[in-house]
Amino acid sequence: MISDLFQQAIGATANTISENAALLNELDAAVGDGDHGSNLSRGFLAVAAQTEELASLDMGEALQRAGMTLVTTVGGAAGPLYGTLLMSMGKAAPCGALLQVQDIAFMLDQGVAAVKQRGRSDVGEKTMLDVLGPVGEAFHRAIAEGARGSEVAAKLVAAAEAGVEATRNMEATKGRAAQLGERSIGHPDPGAMASYLLVKALCDRFTDQA
Ligand code: ADP
Ligand code: MG
């Protein structure tokens, strides 16, 4: 069974994505086709609608199920990529045991590696990976430094924020934005913004409860 806290986290992700759908569409209109917010909010709301069903599963299964829902509902480039992220994190989750921060950091590593493989992409190409990659690294650094609870959360949010900002001056070489070449420079990546919003909502949720 996933905990109440994780059920609340599902709601928090759906809220932040739907509240910011217009912003994400606007960012995507500048470098792509303007549908990133609509795509993701459809998916995260579909996952939130399954909360009761997900709650009866253990963490790994719940993440894999949520990932499949994203694949079938989001569409676009982002659907398979966020789906892959969640499914791979789910596969890396320890069975039954209560999650420790180290487990979450490891799950994120596995998720990021799978997104890179699926997207044939890497950090530095103006995508969601420019947030998720640095957040994963910040997570390991924070653990190594002995940071706890809200300190870890603050470091992850700071890494996510810096990650989105860094995409502004990058030239897109993957996804629809790559068609713009140099003209993609000057706009933050919508996928990176969505990943920042997700990291922030999750960190805020966990910090509130700490
Ligand atoms: P589409 O481009 O099909 O309209 P979305 O607008 O939903 O799909 O998603 C676009 C976002 O997906 C981009 O902003 C970028 O962050 C991410 N993205 C696209 N292609 C890749 C890729 N190959 N690797 C990683 N992320 C990618
Ligand atoms: Mg798009």
Side-chain angles (χ1 to χ4, degrees):
M1 276 270 288
I2 61 174
S3 66
D4 285 354
L5 184 53
F6 279 97
Q7 293 183 47
Q8 290 166 22
I10 296 173
T13 58
N15 283 344
T16 193
I17 293 298
S18 49
E19 279 164 13
N20 290 287
L23 166 73
L24 297 172
N25 281 343
E26 207 177 293
L27 294 176
D28 194 28
V31 294
D33 57 356
D35 63 357
H36 192 56
S38 308
N39 287 347
L40 279 191
S41 56
R42 192 167 53 243
F44 280 88
L45 289 170
V47 171
Q50 290 180 314
T51 302
E52 215 170 295
E53 185 193 332
L54 296 175
S56 67
L57 304 174
D58 75 22
M59 190 45 139
E61 289 170 338
L63 279 168
Q64 291 184 64
R65 184 74 60 86
M68 284 188 261
T69 301
L70 291 183
V71 170
T72 53
T73 55
V74 173
L81 294 170
Y82 275 102
T84 296
L85 176 72
L86 262 57
M87 287 191 275
S88 304
M89 289 181 73
K91 284 187 198 132
C95 288
L98 207 62
L99 283 189
Q100 307 289 324
V101 275
Q102 287 85 349
D103 298 322
I104 305 174
F106 174 71
M107 288 159 63
L108 183 58
D109 289 344
Q110 298 297 107
V112 168
V115 171
K116 287 181 180 175
Q117 199 175 12
R118 176 86 201 220
R120 295 197 174 85
S121 46
D122 209 338
V123 173
E125 295 190 286
K126 198 180 181 91
T127 71
M128 56 197 271
L129 286 170
D130 291 305
V131 166
L132 299 175
V135 166
E137 283 169 20
F139 214 153
H140 286 289
R141 268 199 310 275
I143 293 169
E145 286 165 6
R148 330 231 347 202
S150 59
E151 286 169 353
V152 177
K155 286 174 191 287
L156 301 192
V157 172
E161 206 170 350
V164 189
E165 201 37 50
T167 63
R168 188 184 291 275
N169 293 322
M170 289 179 189
E171 178 177 339
T173 49
K174 288 286 147 55
R176 214 176 276 277
Q179 293 166 18
L180 289 183
E182 280 182 9
R183 280 179 295 135
S184 65
I185 298 172
H187 307 278
D189 175 61
M193 181 64 83
S195 289
Y196 158 74
L197 291 168
L198 291 168
V199 169
K200 169 113 176 63
L202 291 170
C203 287
D204 288 352
R205 193 70 241 146
F206 287 99
T207 310
D208 283 356
Q209 304 274 330

